[in-house]
Amino acid sequence: MVFFTCDACGESLKKAQVEKHLLKCRGCRVLSCIDCGNDFRGDDYKNHNKCISEDQKYGGKDFQAKANKGDVKQQQWIQRIQEASDRPGVQPRLQQVLRQVAAYGNVPRKRAKFQNWMKNSLKIHSPELLEQVWEIFSAADSDSNQTEHQTAEEHKPNRSDLNNGTETHEEKRDERKDRKNKRKTSEEQNGKTQSRKKRKREEREQNRQSAEENTKKSQKKRKEEASDESQDLEGEEPENQQSESNSTGKFNWKGTIKAVLRDAPEDGLAVKKLRKKVLAAYYSFTGDGNYRSEEELLSLFNKKINNNPKFKTLKEKVRLVK
């Protein structure tokens, strides 16, 4: 089985998992084969169906690969299918189907599975054509089995070689055990790498959330401080001026506005009228002790009626909230 590594996130993938991974990992541009180390761009990975074995990978420069029995048998059968398609007298339609079958790397050898494979892969549903292809297919498979049997008889070991055969069997068993351990170690390393990456992603997310919370708290604090400063400035009087008072005390803006609005109609009093009455009371109260300009008094009056929840301004009228 072929395994790939994503160059963007480092995840190890089976070939069947690659397409789903490409949909969610937008940064993936190159896939690297874990066994041979080759890089594949775009859809090139689809042609990488078979890779070097672990024996070839770890066997060193003097390693000589042994022919795989199943691969040899499959190649012999494919060759016989191709030869059958080139025989004279074969119908063009049948010849075309045989060539399509020979283009596949692994085709079922049981009749029912083979015919289902033909229907699903080649979209051929004609019973007559399916039967003709199967006859040629089974004949080629039978010839391949006979050739393999003859080859096995020729290479059948003598009794004197049994001891060597036993040693070879033990060596193969040890080799399989070593391959299994190496594969397990590789999977554990991949799992640790994925765990480290997951922890880093979680830490980055926690840091981001913490930074956002701190920013919100800082903004809230600044707003509260600005509001407090604004209220202090409203109640603060210039140092170079005397307070709005005479011998009786400070002018009560809030109480004066309330008193005027109590005598007003239920729907309220026009802002201009209210301002006129309140400023008249102010001038009467301060007398010659007024050191504020008219603009300052108007601004202060507007703040008093707009910032106090007891006063409600609607359509240029102010009324007292009960």
Side-chain angles (χ1 to χ4, degrees):
M1 184 178 294
V2 183
F3 283 84
F4 298 98
T5 302
C6 175
D7 71 321
C9 64
E11 186 176 355
S12 297
L13 306 163
K14 295 179 182 179
K15 188 175 181 180
Q17 298 172 331
V18 172
E19 288 188 1
K20 286 187 178 179
H21 181 75
L22 292 177
L23 294 175
K24 64 179 182 179
C25 184
R26 299 296 183 181
C28 182
R29 296 290 180 270
V30 178
L31 294 169
S32 300
C33 178
I34 292 179
D35 291 323
C36 66
N38 290 332
D39 293 338
F40 301 91
R41 297 180 180 275
D43 293 333
D44 294 344
Y45 75 94
K46 293 182 178 180
N47 298 325
H48 192 57
N49 298 315
K50 185 179 178 183
C51 195
I52 60 174
S53 64
E54 290 186 355
D55 289 339
Q56 290 175 293
K57 185 175 181 180
Y58 302 108
K61 62 180 182 178
D62 297 329
F63 175 80
Q64 292 182 355
K66 297 179 181 179
N68 187 291
K69 196 181 215 180
D71 291 343
V72 172
K73 188 174 182 180
Q74 184 77 4
Q75 291 301 322
Q76 289 176 350
W77 169 75
I78 292 292
Q79 184 178 358
R80 293 184 180 276
I81 292 291
Q82 292 173 343
E83 293 174 353
S85 65
D86 295 333
R87 291 175 186 172
V90 178
Q91 298 178 4
R93 172 60 176 159
L94 183 59
Q95 193 175 46
Q96 181 183 3
V97 173
L98 290 173
R99 288 175 180 171
Q100 289 179 342
V101 173
Y104 285 82
N106 189 14
V107 180
R109 297 192 175 193
K110 300 295 182 180
R111 179 171 182 166
K113 292 182 178 181
F114 172 76
Q115 291 183 346
N116 287 333
W117 176 85
M118 291 276 290
K119 294 175 183 178
N120 295 327
S121 300
L122 303 182
K123 308 301 180 184
I124 296 175
H125 301 278
S126 171
E128 182 180 358
L129 187 57
L130 288 172
E131 192 64 31
Q132 291 176 349
V133 174
W134 170 251
E135 289 178 359
I136 296 177
F137 173 84
S138 58
D141 196 23
S142 177
D143 293 341
S144 177
N145 291 335
Q146 291 178 1
T147 303
E148 181 182 353
H149 180 72
Q150 293 175 358
T151 304
E153 288 294 332
E154 292 175 358
H155 294 85
K156 188 174 181 180
N158 296 327
R159 293 181 179 271
S160 59
D161 297 332
L162 289 177
N163 292 333
N164 293 335
T166 303
E167 294 176 357
T168 303
H169 176 72
E170 292 176 355
E171 291 174 358
K172 288 183 177 179
R173 183 178 60 188
D174 293 337
E175 288 176 359
R176 287 195 298 270
K177 188 180 294 185
D178 291 340
R179 287 197 299 269
K180 185 177 180 180
N181 291 335
K182 289 176 182 178
R183 188 183 302 110
K184 184 177 180 181
T185 302
S186 177
E187 291 175 353
E188 290 176 352
Q189 291 176 351
N190 290 334
K192 291 179 180 178
T193 302
Q194 296 300 321
S195 298
R196 286 196 297 269
K197 291 183 177 179
K198 184 178 180 180
R199 284 198 299 270
K200 288 182 179 179
R201 287 196 297 269
E202 292 175 349
E203 289 175 358
R204 286 197 297 267
E205 182 63 18
Q206 291 177 355
N207 293 335
R208 184 185 65 79
Q209 293 178 354
S210 178
E212 289 179 354
E213 292 177 357
N214 292 334
T215 301
K216 291 179 180 178
K217 290 180 180 178
S218 300
Q219 292 176 349
K220 183 178 180 181
K221 187 176 180 180
R222 284 197 296 269
K223 288 181 179 179
E224 292 175 351
E225 291 176 352
S227 177
D228 293 339
E229 291 176 0
S230 175
Q231 292 178 0
D232 292 340
L233 289 175
E234 290 177 7
E236 183 178 339
E237 294 185 356
E239 294 180 357
N240 59 349
Q241 295 181 2
Q242 297 179 4
S243 63
E244 307 161 346
S245 63
N246 55 16
S247 59
T248 60
K250 187 177 178 181
F251 181 73
N252 189 349
W253 287 89
K254 179 179 177 181
T256 304
I257 296 172
K258 278 186 176 182
V260 175
L261 290 177
R262 285 194 190 101
D263 298 334
E266 292 184 0
D267 60 342
L269 188 66
V271 175
K272 291 183 179 180
K273 289 184 179 181
L274 176 63
R275 183 173 59 216
K276 184 177 180 180
K277 290 185 178 183
V278 172
L279 291 182
Y282 174 82
Y283 288 131
S284 176
F285 180 83
T286 58
D288 295 335
N290 174 38
Y291 292 93
R292 292 183 182 272
S293 65
E294 186 175 356
E295 291 181 355
E296 290 176 336
L297 291 174
L298 292 176
S299 176
L300 185 57
F301 170 79
N302 290 331
K303 288 180 180 179
K304 294 297 182 182
I305 64 173
N306 291 328
N307 295 340
N308 195 317
K310 290 290 184 179
F311 308 139
K312 185 173 182 180
T313 304
L314 182 64
K315 294 182 179 181
E316 297 298 324
K317 283 190 175 184
V318 184
R319 67 181 181 86
L320 188 64
V321 179
K322 297 181 181 179

